[in-house]
């Protein structure tokens, strides 16, 4: 009952309230974006939605208008050079995601669920197929987002999305919801172009440890 009815009702009510309450802050952000750089306030991008149907996600624009449009951030050679000054703050605080309240209100997204993949992130889409994670409504935030976010490798991220599918329910959604606030405050897992960063850091630490052992010998 929750998955097929109450979850959507909660999404509808909370996204509507969010749009009303956050209207003024979103207006301020829009003005800051226009002052900071040339280009539109919003950024639309084709993403994979429920049952792998495509839709356009809505965000505040955080990058220059000449940034490669459909390239995942981790595939850019130097992601930071494309990010505007205001954009850097918005991405760090996740405020760039606020316009997705309209995606949620329209039913294309949910508050909690796997983050929608880019239409051409075939590796992530394929991995999610193994866990049924493409057959639920994608979310503004989710289980993977509070367990590593950008630091996670594709396979790990997909597995966590699959775990969300298995455990989906009101209490688990609450855990993800409130866990998101803590992650945002701590900026956990926010690494520009950093997909798989956690494994890279572990490999680096392992290499440094081996080097220290050689020196001691």
């Amino acid at each position: 009952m929750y998955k097929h009815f109450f979850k959507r009702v909660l999404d509808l009510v909370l996204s509507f309230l969010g749009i009303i309450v956050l209207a003024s802050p979103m207006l301020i952000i829009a003005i800051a974006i226009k002052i900071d750089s040339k280009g539109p306030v919003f950024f639309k991008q084709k993403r994979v939605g429920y049952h792998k149907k495509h839709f356009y996600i809505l965000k505040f624009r955080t990058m220059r208008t000449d940034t490669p449009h459909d390239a995942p951030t981790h595939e850019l050679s130097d992601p930071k050079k494309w990010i505007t000054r205001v954009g850097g703050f918005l991405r760090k605080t996740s405020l760039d995601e606020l316009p997705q309240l309209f995606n949620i209100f329209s039913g294309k997204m949910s508050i909690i669920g796997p983050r929608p993949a880019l239409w051409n992130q075939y590796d992530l889409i394929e991995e999610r197929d193994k866990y049924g994670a493409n057959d639920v409504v994608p979310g503004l935030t989710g289980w993977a987002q509070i367990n590593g976010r950008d630091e996670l490798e594709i396979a790990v991220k997909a597995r966590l999305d699959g775990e969300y599918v298995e455990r989906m329910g009101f209490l688990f959604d609450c855990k993800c919801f409130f866990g998101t606030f803590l992650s945002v405050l701590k900026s956990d897992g926010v690494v520009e172009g950093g997909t798989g960063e956690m494994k890279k850091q572990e490999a680096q630490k392992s290499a440094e440890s081996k080097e220290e052992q050689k020196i001691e010998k």
Side-chain angles (χ1 to χ4, degrees):
M1 181 65 77
Y2 173 76
K3 297 179 184 179
H4 303 291
F5 180 72
F6 288 113
K7 185 174 173 66
R8 176 57 189 152
V9 171
L10 284 173
D11 285 339
L12 193 62
V13 172
L14 292 178
S15 61
F16 177 75
L17 291 175
I19 291 168
I20 299 300
V21 172
L22 297 172
S24 294
M26 285 196 285
L27 177 60
I28 293 171
I29 291 172
I31 293 171
I33 291 171
K34 292 299 290 184
I35 293 173
D36 182 49
S37 63
K38 293 181 180 179
V41 168
F42 297 110
F43 172 72
K44 292 196 299 183
Q45 192 175 55
K46 188 159 67 172
R47 296 290 182 108
V48 178
Y50 182 56
H51 288 323
K52 293 191 281 190
K53 292 181 179 178
H54 292 164
F55 74 101
Y56 284 91
I57 199 172
L58 194 62
K59 291 187 176 188
F60 281 121
R61 182 176 60 82
T62 60
M63 291 183 152
R64 291 164 22 194
T65 54
D66 58 339
T67 305
H69 189 72
D70 282 326
T73 307
H74 67 271
E75 290 185 1
L76 298 174
S77 57
D78 184 10
K80 291 183 180 180
K81 81 174 185 179
W82 302 100
I83 300 172
T84 64
R85 288 172 298 177
V86 170
F89 171 75
L90 295 178
R91 292 168 77 92
K92 186 176 181 179
T93 57
S94 296
L95 291 173
D96 60 315
E97 312 284 1
L98 288 181
Q100 286 162 53
L101 288 169
F102 295 99
N103 288 124
I104 296 169
F105 186 74
S106 68
K108 299 296 184 183
M109 290 178 62
S110 177
I111 293 175
I112 308 297
R115 282 296 295 164
L118 276 166
W119 67 273
N120 57 357
Q121 279 185 291
Y122 304 116
D123 51 352
L124 177 57
I125 297 167
E126 185 177 351
E127 282 294 316
R128 283 179 168 173
D129 270 335
K130 297 176 182 178
Y131 305 101
N134 290 314
D135 298 322
V136 296
V137 180
L140 176 65
T141 185
W143 187 232
Q145 277 56 55
I146 63 173
N147 282 284
R149 193 174 172 175
D150 297 333
E151 295 181 341
L152 299 174
E153 284 192 302
I154 294 297
V156 177
K157 188 178 293 186
R159 179 172 54 77
L160 287 169
D161 290 333
E163 186 178 338
Y164 171 75
V165 174
E166 290 180 357
R167 300 175 64 184
M168 188 192 307
F170 177 71
L171 292 179
F172 195 60
D173 274 6
C174 287
K175 184 175 183 177
C176 294
F177 182 81
F178 291 110
T180 297
F181 285 100
L182 183 60
S183 294
V184 169
L185 289 173
K186 295 166 63 180
S187 294
D188 281 349
V190 180
V191 182
E192 295 300 345
T195 293
E197 191 65 24
M198 190 177 291
K199 187 170 183 178
K200 293 176 187 176
Q201 291 174 358
E202 289 175 356
Q204 184 177 353
K205 288 179 181 179
S206 177
E208 290 174 352
S209 177
K210 289 179 181 178
E211 190 63 30
E212 288 175 0
Q213 288 174 6
K214 288 180 182 179
I215 294 173
E216 289 175 357
K217 290 179 180 179

